[in-house]
Amino acid sequence: MALKELLFKRVESGKGLFAVEIISLIYSALTTVMILFLFPRMDHPGMMMLERLGIVIMTFALILLYQAMPCRLTAFLRMVVQMSLLAYWYPDTYEFNRLFPNLDHLFASAEQFLFHCQPAVEFSKNCPSIWFSEPFHMGYFFYYPMMLIVVLYYFFKRFELFEKISFVLVTSFFIYYLFYIMVPVAGPQFYFPAIGMDKVNACIFPAIGDYFNHNGILLPGPGFDHGFFYNLVEASQEVGERPTAAFPSSHVGISTIVMIMAWRVSKKLAAVLFPFYALLCCATVYIQAHYLIDSITGFISAFLVYWLATTMYKKWFITPAFKLMG
């Protein structure tokens, strides 16, 4: 049986869990074990476990819906719900890493050593006008629309690969999220206000321990503050941003993976998305969400993460299916 026919059969059979649901349940189980170990130190571990139970119940409810009405639309719903839950899993990393000593002082010091300045400060300070601010903020805001465009392209044009790209995308996020849990770095937009710009300007980067366990002040970012996209980014950060997930930059890492996916299915699609991708990568430093080393590492790590997630899909879901067919 050809690979394309096998993938169609996997998605349209309606039997069992989709790959993206399996990896989501694995991540949920791993973080539940972490909650049990850290239970006495966490603010609301009971609620976090109930939320995970709710995600499990919703996952199986969607499976029942699909079995009652098996079609591409309900298959799409099952996979997109798991992707949408990434908005829950991201701030969830903060509940873990804020319990550990913050490491921003090491990254700010490394930035000073490598570049003899703080690029996140110098970039926005030297390019303050609307002609820089608005394009960069537009690129940063385009992070999720870019993902949505590529996901929808696969759904309508290459449905036989839709389960695979859903799995690779969500698994890539989870790989980054597990790293964020273990490596508590908040980024310049949180660390610099915490220590004060007088210290930053004097190249003094003190350790702040568990400061972010009880503080999460996010001041307005740099740029043209009357700009349309500036205010969109500021509004979204006020709602969903936490002092977590700075190293490596998942904005750069995931958007690079999305560009790889776009390139592999349509060179024209990749060409259309590339300007937004380039602006997004620059914006991560411009708006002070990341140190420059975060963004560089995010780009490099994307290729390893993409390879790892793709290999997991092939080993777990494709190879066994071919063996069964043989």
Side-chain angles (χ1 to χ4, degrees):
M1 180 179 290
L3 176 60
K4 183 175 181 178
E5 294 172 342
L6 176 62
L7 292 169
F8 265 120
K9 187 171 182 180
R10 274 186 49 78
V11 175
E12 297 187 337
S13 66
K15 296 179 180 178
L17 294 160
F18 289 153
V20 69
E21 293 167 333
I22 291 173
I23 198 65
S24 295
L25 292 174
I26 290 173
Y27 182 82
S28 182
L30 284 174
T31 52
T32 298
V33 171
M34 293 180 190
I35 292 171
L36 293 174
F37 274 108
L38 297 169
F39 201 95
R41 298 175 57 195
M42 304 191 83
D43 283 349
H44 45 271
M47 180 58 68
M48 292 173 68
M49 294 181 72
L50 283 175
E51 289 167 350
R52 282 159 171 73
L53 177 60
I55 289 171
V56 172
I57 292 171
M58 180 176 62
T59 298
F60 283 95
L62 288 170
I63 293 173
L64 293 175
L65 173 65
Y66 181 77
Q67 290 173 344
M69 296 184 294
C71 63
R72 291 190 182 189
L73 182 59
T74 48
F76 176 80
L77 180 64
R78 283 174 63 180
M79 291 188 238
V80 166
V81 163
Q82 297 302 325
M83 287 187 263
S84 67
L85 284 171
L86 294 168
Y88 166 79
W89 293 119
Y90 166 68
D92 187 73
T93 62
Y94 170 63
E95 300 300 327
F96 294 96
N97 71 24
R98 65 177 176 158
L99 302 177
F100 305 111
N102 173 264
L103 301 177
D104 274 83
H105 62 291
L106 299 178
F107 285 81
S109 298
E111 196 96 329
Q112 192 71 38
F113 175 78
L114 290 171
F115 307 111
H116 307 290
C117 68
Q118 292 297 309
V121 174
E122 298 301 321
F123 192 5
S124 55
K125 185 171 71 175
N126 288 293
C127 303
S129 77
I130 187 173
W131 303 108
F132 290 98
S133 176
E134 280 296 277
F136 287 142
H137 281 89
M138 178 187 67
Y140 197 82
F141 183 78
F142 205 69
Y143 180 53
Y144 289 108
M146 187 165 69
M147 273 186 268
L148 180 62
I149 289 168
V150 173
V151 165
L152 289 175
Y153 190 95
Y154 271 88
F155 179 74
F156 287 111
K157 297 291 188 178
R158 297 293 301 275
F159 183 74
E160 75 278 6
L161 296 174
F162 185 64
E163 184 194 31
K164 176 186 175 182
I165 68 108
S166 300
F167 174 86
V168 170
L169 188 59
V170 171
T171 301
S172 298
F173 268 104
F174 285 155
I175 291 169
Y176 282 115
Y177 288 175
L178 285 172
F179 198 85
Y180 298 151
I181 288 173
M182 302 300 177
V183 183
V185 184
Q189 63 183 343
F190 286 103
Y191 178 64
F192 290 169
I195 65 172
M197 286 305 298
D198 55 335
K199 286 188 173 60
V200 176
N201 294 330
C203 303
I204 299 171
F205 308 108
I208 56 176
D210 65 349
Y211 173 87
F212 290 120
N213 189 18
H214 306 288
N215 298 275
I217 297 173
L218 176 61
L219 299 178
F224 183 73
D225 59 9
H226 296 298
F228 175 73
F229 287 104
Y230 173 91
N231 284 289
L232 280 179
V233 170
E234 286 295 303
S236 64
Q237 290 206 315
E238 285 178 11
V239 172
E241 196 56 78
R242 302 288 189 281
T244 181
F247 178 84
S249 168
S250 61
H251 270 73
V252 174
I254 294 295
S255 62
T256 302
I257 289 169
V258 169
M259 287 299 297
I260 294 171
M261 292 175 172
W263 177 262
R264 298 195 66 175
V265 76
S266 169
K267 305 297 188 292
K268 290 182 179 178
L269 176 63
V272 169
L273 294 177
F274 182 79
F276 298 97
Y277 165 72
L279 289 169
L280 186 156
C281 291
C282 293
T284 58
V285 179
Y286 182 86
I287 72 169
Q288 299 184 358
H290 293 279
Y291 304 103
L292 180 55
I293 53 178
D294 299 341
S295 298
I296 293 171
T297 308
F299 176 77
I300 295 170
S301 67
F303 298 93
L304 175 61
V305 170
Y306 178 79
W307 172 83
L308 180 58
T310 303
T311 301
M312 289 167 64
Y313 183 80
K314 290 177 179 177
K315 294 286 187 182
W316 293 4
F317 303 106
I318 299 302
T319 304
F322 269 119
K323 287 180 180 178
L324 287 173
M325 293 306 298

